[in-house]
Amino acid sequence: MKKLLSVVTLLLAMGIATVVWAIIEGTPHDVAVMRNLGAGAEIERCAMCHTPHAGSGQYPLWNRSQTDQTYAMYSSPTFNMAIAAGDTIGSSNYATYNCMVCHNGIASTLVNYPGSQSTANTNYDFSSALLRSVSNLGLSMQNDHPVGFTYNPTVDDENNGFRAAENYGSSGKAIFGARGTYPLYTETGNTGPYNQFECATCHSVHDTVDYAGKSMQNGVSVGTVYFLRGDNTSSGMCIDCHVNR
Ligand code: HEC
Ligand code: HEC
Ligand code: HEC
Ligand code: HEC
């Protein structure tokens, strides 16, 4: 016992006793939490977004569908990595499209419901009622941080001090900041170049990054926002990229 305790103390001292899980369960992205089904609910949490077979065909084994929507993209006189006129959010911007299929506030359903032969189950159907106000981004992206553009730090006229993207994983690219690692995505789903800036550049849709302040009460998150790529206390995430601001 004494030996075990000293091992635990050592781990704590080294700061590696903080376990980080790639979890959905118990977070705002857990369908049981969205539906307030209570602890121990028999529901397939991953199926809300993924299916092992017969999904939409989009990366990563995507399982939600919605009729195509038209978005007003971000623009400004000083936005240099500007989104081309007429560009849209489509399945090629999967790490944004896969968020907006719920966060635009419009109903969406599963392609393949869990169970034999896709048995419909309304628990997995999505409606705006499951979103609190600020989480409903709507169809205008003009009041949101720009997404869906090619990251190119060399075209920044205002000297924000953006960092160059570096190698990440086996073949990806990411921006490495002090508070977090911000992956870039590809328009093809499976092959590079990995240069697209999307929602998932700043957010991890599974709760994979640990920082203080995240908690749930009565089925909703209170305190610090979940799913960030890093701790944004003192705007640390913003400064990771906008180094000179
Ligand atoms: C709310 C929607 C949602 C739920 C629920 C969800 N995922 Fe994901 N998942 C995504 C999105 C969006 C991506 C792509 C963006 C990214 O890679 O961060 C992704 C990517 C992945 C990937 C590929 C990239 C990686 O991180 O390895 C795997 C594997 C994965 N999910 C597994 C799971 C499993 C297992 C579950 C259930 C425990 C789950 N997901 C639940 C939305 C979801
Ligand atoms: C299956 C639908 C669904 C998908 C797909 C989805 N979300 Fe969510 N998300 C929700 C719901 C429901 C909530 C809880 C909303 C609330 O509390 O207002 C939520 C909450 C959040 C929150 C706030 C958490 C908090 O602490 O209040 C963030 C951030 C977020 N989502 C980002 C994303 C991003 C980024 C993606 C894509 C990579 C994504 N979501 C994909 C349904 C979804
Ligand atoms: C440049 C980084 C960045 C990008 C890109 C980004 N977000 Fe966020 N998002 C944040 C930060 C930081 C917060 C926390 C803000 C706060 O604490 O009030 C946040 C908060 C949220 C919330 C919770 C809102 C609230 O106040 O409860 C949702 C939902 C969300 N983001 C969804 C998305 C979606 C969907 C996309 C893509 C369309 C996206 N975000 C793109 C940085 C980003
Ligand atoms: C992962 C890197 C990254 C993070 C994190 C990030 N940004 Fe950005 N931000 C960018 C890039 C790249 C642009 C596009 C700049 C350009 O092309 O002029 C941008 C654009 C902007 C713009 C619009 C600039 C314009 O000229 O219209 C504002 C404002 C902004 N970010 C503020 C923030 C804030 C506030 C945060 C923290 C909540 C934040 N950013 C987090 C990379 C990031």
Side-chain angles (χ1 to χ4, degrees):
M1 186 59 176
K2 202 166 174 211
K3 196 172 172 195
L4 180 67
L5 273 180
S6 58
V7 169
V8 171
T9 318
L10 180 69
L11 287 175
L12 279 172
M14 291 167 72
I16 52 178
T18 328
V19 183
V20 182
W21 292 278
I23 52 164
I24 287 291
E25 190 172 352
T27 71
H29 280 161
D30 178 350
V31 57
V33 168
M34 293 177 200
R35 292 279 175 197
N36 237 322
L37 300 179
E42 284 299 325
I43 191 143
E44 295 192 22
R45 295 171 167 83
C46 307
M48 193 66 178
C49 296
H50 305 286
T51 176
H53 305 287
S56 71
Q58 289 145 2
Y59 177 88
L61 295 174
W62 200 243
N63 198 22
R64 294 207 76 78
S65 88
Q66 183 179 68
T67 48
D68 287 346
Q69 305 296 332
T70 306
Y71 297 86
M73 303 297 277
Y74 181 87
S75 66
S76 95
T78 48
F79 179 31
N80 301 116
M81 303 176 205
I83 301 155
D87 214 350
T88 53
I89 296 175
S91 53
S92 64
N93 316 96
Y94 61 90
T96 288
Y97 171 84
N98 292 353
C99 311
M100 296 309 285
V101 72
C102 292
H103 285 280
N104 63 10
I106 297 167
S108 61
T109 54
L110 291 196
V111 182
N112 180 13
Y113 290 87
S116 177
Q117 299 302 317
S118 195
T119 315
N121 178 343
T122 50
N123 272 328
Y124 299 97
D125 294 340
F126 196 83
S127 81
S128 60
L130 298 178
L131 294 174
R132 287 181 290 164
S133 61
V134 202
S135 300
N136 186 342
L137 275 58
L139 293 177
S140 171
M141 308 299 290
Q142 280 164 339
N143 58 349
D144 298 292
H145 191 284
V147 290
F149 62 90
T150 305
Y151 182 69
N152 179 2
T154 65
V155 299
D156 170 35
D157 288 345
E158 289 78 29
N159 187 27
N160 279 265
F162 293 123
R163 302 169 201 265
E166 294 175 53
N167 292 335
Y168 174 63
S170 49
S171 59
K173 292 272 180 194
I175 303 155
F176 288 88
R179 291 288 178 89
T181 298
Y182 308 93
L184 297 172
Y185 291 83
T186 162
E187 291 196 280
T188 65
N190 299 314
T191 52
Y194 293 88
N195 57 11
Q196 296 298 301
F197 193 106
E198 309 288 355
C199 305
T201 298
C202 291
H203 291 284
S204 164
V205 65
H206 320 108
D207 187 28
T208 45
V209 181
D210 223 6
Y211 46 89
K214 292 179 287 187
S215 67
M216 303 279 301
Q217 253 170 42
N218 303 323
V220 294
S221 125
V222 291
T224 306
V225 167
Y226 276 75
F227 312 126
L228 295 178
R229 290 281 180 194
D231 182 356
N232 196 33
T233 311
S234 309
S235 300
M237 275 179 64
C238 315
I239 307 299
D240 266 357
C241 288
H242 299 266
V243 175
N244 298 341
R245 291 291 176 277

